[in-house]
Amino acid sequence: MDTDDLRTFLEVADAGGVAPAAQRLGISKSMVSRGLGRLETALGAPLLVRTTRGMSLTEAGMTFYQHATKVCYEIHVAKQTILPAGELRGL
């Protein structure tokens, strides 16, 4: 499971769809869709219900969203922790 796919999933859930997530991430819609497909295949469960009017999270998607958020946050903290002393940090 790729952490980039986790971040893509989180962005789709937060943005409310593939197109807005692709725009936020600066990648094509097809790349976002492929990332979601890889993630759903790896998990063996659908995370999103896609319709012509938008998308919504499945029950599995809602549960996975909570855990994926924590995982991505912990990865971010770990990266910040190993920065060499004296290097600039922050937003």
Side-chain angles (χ1 to χ4, degrees):
M1 188 176 304
D2 189 337
T3 57
D4 288 336
D5 292 343
L6 285 178
R7 287 188 192 97
T8 298
F9 166 69
L10 293 175
E11 194 63 47
V12 169
D14 291 340
V18 171
Q23 187 174 11
R24 286 184 183 183
L25 293 168
I27 60 176
S28 69
K29 292 185 287 186
S30 63
M31 288 181 69
V32 171
S33 293
R34 280 192 293 253
L36 290 173
R38 283 190 302 267
L39 190 57
E40 289 177 326
T41 298
L43 294 171
L47 300 174
L48 303 166
V49 175
R50 297 164 184 90
T51 66
T52 56
R53 297 197 177 261
M55 60 118 259
S56 62
L57 295 173
T58 63
E59 188 174 330
M62 286 186 269
T63 301
F64 189 72
Y65 178 86
Q66 294 170 347
H67 293 285
T69 302
K70 293 174 189 173
V71 167
C72 287
Y73 174 76
E74 289 298 325
I75 290 170
H76 172 74
V77 169
K79 286 179 179 178
Q80 295 301 311
T81 303
I82 64 169
L83 282 175
E87 199 169 307
L88 294 177
R89 296 182 192 197
L91 301 175

